[in-house]
Amino acid sequence: MKLAVLITAVATIATAEAFVSPALPAFHTSLAAKSGVPPKKDAKKGPSIAGAIFGMDLWKDRKDSNDYGARGKKKLTVGKITEGKSYVPAGLTAAQYNAVRGKEKATKDKNYARNVAKAGKFEDYTDFYLKRGTDTSGSWIKDITRGHRMVKTKYDYSGKDQPNYADMKQPEGIVGKTVKKGLKKK
């Protein structure tokens, strides 16, 4: 048993030493001096090529171009459709198609402006947490909404001083009885 442990230890040490590089002396060989290659200089003058490229600030003139809401500051236009050169859907003239595209752009711009106006307006969760009473008791969990706020609906479904379900607009489409279509029996 002791012999097996000794042999294993010797083999392990011999294997580990095989992968270790020997320590090289820190002197220059005469071969390097004869080749005429000058020794490397350690002093650098200015940044490296990679440092110069990565140090460039390509956005210095337009730092806010990717901020939320910056699309309104950019000069984005819809291309003009010309008769005979551009695609025009069947049934429209080039002028009509230009009008449709302009109307769509105006709608998109209006929607974008509306969303930008809402940007950054939010309620602090801590305030909601405190109003709900989560920090003081657990009674909110027994509430019918379990601490959630309910949204307003078009109709008051409580039935107090409001029209009932029969007075509300009925779904359109199916009128009368529907007949199940199937195979005729012979």
Side-chain angles (χ1 to χ4, degrees):
M1 174 82 173
K2 291 180 184 180
L3 183 62
V5 171
L6 180 66
I7 292 172
T8 306
V10 170
T12 304
I13 292 171
T15 306
E17 284 182 0
F19 291 106
V20 176
S21 63
L24 296 176
F27 60 86
H28 297 288
T29 62
S30 60
L31 183 62
K34 289 180 185 176
S35 68
V37 178
K40 289 185 177 181
K41 294 181 180 178
D42 292 336
K44 288 187 175 182
K45 295 180 182 177
S48 66
I49 293 173
I53 291 171
F54 294 135
M56 288 180 171
D57 188 5
L58 301 175
W59 296 97
K60 67 181 176 186
D61 297 332
R62 46 201 165 146
K63 289 190 183 297
D64 63 342
S65 66
N66 287 330
D67 292 344
Y68 190 69
R71 191 169 82 187
K73 299 175 193 171
K74 297 178 183 178
K75 295 173 176 63
L76 302 175
T77 59
V78 175
K80 296 293 178 193
I81 301 295
T82 55
E83 190 75 41
K85 291 185 177 181
S86 305
Y87 168 76
V88 178
L92 293 177
T93 64
Q96 289 172 331
Y97 192 45
N98 273 328
V100 167
R101 288 166 47 114
K103 187 177 177 183
E104 287 175 354
K105 173 140 177 44
T107 304
K108 284 182 184 178
D109 291 343
K110 183 180 174 185
N111 187 39
Y112 185 74
R114 182 178 55 88
N115 287 332
V116 168
K118 293 190 292 185
K121 296 179 182 176
F122 55 90
E123 181 185 7
D124 186 14
Y125 181 71
T126 308
D127 295 339
F128 166 74
Y129 191 78
L130 293 173
K131 286 179 192 172
R132 185 169 74 170
T134 310
D135 61 328
T136 56
S137 69
S139 62
W140 59 272
I141 197 73
K142 296 177 185 172
D143 191 23
I144 192 168
T145 61
R146 288 198 167 233
H148 296 282
R149 287 194 222 131
M150 303 308 283
V151 297
K152 293 180 180 178
T153 58
K154 185 173 180 180
Y155 299 103
D156 180 15
Y157 293 105
S158 67
K160 300 175 185 171
D161 299 330
Q162 292 292 328
N164 59 14
Y165 291 114
D167 295 338
M168 294 180 197
K169 184 178 178 183
Q170 298 299 316
E172 298 175 2
I174 300 174
V175 179
K177 295 182 180 180
T178 59
V179 177
K180 201 174 200 180
K181 294 182 178 180
L183 298 174
K184 293 181 181 180
K185 292 183 182 180
K186 290 183 180 181

